[in-house]
Amino acid sequence: IRVFDAHDGRHLFDFGKPGYQPGEFNEPYDLAVGKHGRLYVTDSGNRQVDVFDRHGNYLSQLSFAGSPPGRFGRPKAIAVNSAGEVFVVDALYGKVFVFAPDGKFEFSIGGHGANGERLTYLLPIGLAIDTDGSLYFLDQGYRKIDIFRPIAH
């Protein structure tokens, strides 16, 4: 990962290297910046989401189920909302996994299903979160975008 100064475009530093261990990359796909400058990187080849600090130091991995390490199938897109929750699209499982700001798994949305019915996906590949907290979930296989609006408290 290459880091540049946002004001003058000057190269600041690089971090990460190819490999199969935590903090190493094998098909990095997407990244998102969360609270406190944390950087979340989806790595489809290693089936993991690595977390780094603002200086490129490896902190941890997100995992979603079972006993550690709770690997992803094919993590693709990632986004962080204003509350610090992390949303990860997994193309293999056809789901969005949701994590609390502290990295603990909260719940998942969707799953594989026939004919693109509600909450079913064939090849989910992207997501975005708008300023109101709505989640836009792109499924390439069924050629659809599902929108999930936050529940008002």
Side-chain angles (χ1 to χ4, degrees):
I1 294 176
R2 306 198 86 186
V3 180
F4 297 89
D5 185 285
H7 299 289
D8 63 15
R10 182 174 35 94
H11 176 251
L12 299 174
F13 62 93
D14 296 340
F15 69 93
K17 64 179 183 174
Y20 303 97
Q21 300 302 314
E24 297 178 344
F25 303 122
N26 176 25
E27 297 181 40
Y29 189 86
D30 197 11
L31 56 84
V33 178
K35 289 194 171 231
H36 311 295
R38 289 218 160 105
L39 181 68
Y40 299 86
V41 180
T42 59
D43 184 347
S44 288
N46 283 333
R47 301 179 311 141
Q48 63 196 33
V49 174
D50 289 328
V51 184
F52 299 88
D53 70 14
R54 67 178 66 243
H55 304 290
N57 299 307
Y58 174 80
L59 297 174
S60 63
Q61 284 184 340
L62 297 180
S63 60
F64 64 87
S67 51
R71 304 291 278 223
F72 291 91
R74 205 40 105 158
K76 295 288 184 182
I78 190 165
V80 180
N81 69 14
S82 62
E85 291 176 306
V86 181
F87 297 75
V88 180
V89 169
D90 193 301
L92 182 65
Y93 297 128
K95 295 182 178 195
V96 174
F97 293 103
V98 183
F99 297 86
D102 65 2
K104 288 189 170 69
F105 173 73
E106 290 185 324
F107 60 93
S108 64
I109 301 169
H112 284 295
N115 304 318
E117 295 169 359
R118 271 182 354 121
L119 297 172
T120 63
Y121 306 99
L122 181 60
L123 185 58
I125 60 165
L127 62 85
I129 299 172
D130 69 16
T131 56
D132 294 328
S134 294
L135 175 69
Y136 298 78
F137 185 27
L138 172 67
D139 184 77
Q140 184 179 18
Y142 289 133
R143 298 182 206 156
K144 69 176 184 170
I145 298 173
D146 283 351
I147 302 170
F148 298 91
R149 304 225 186 271
I151 298 171
H153 295 287

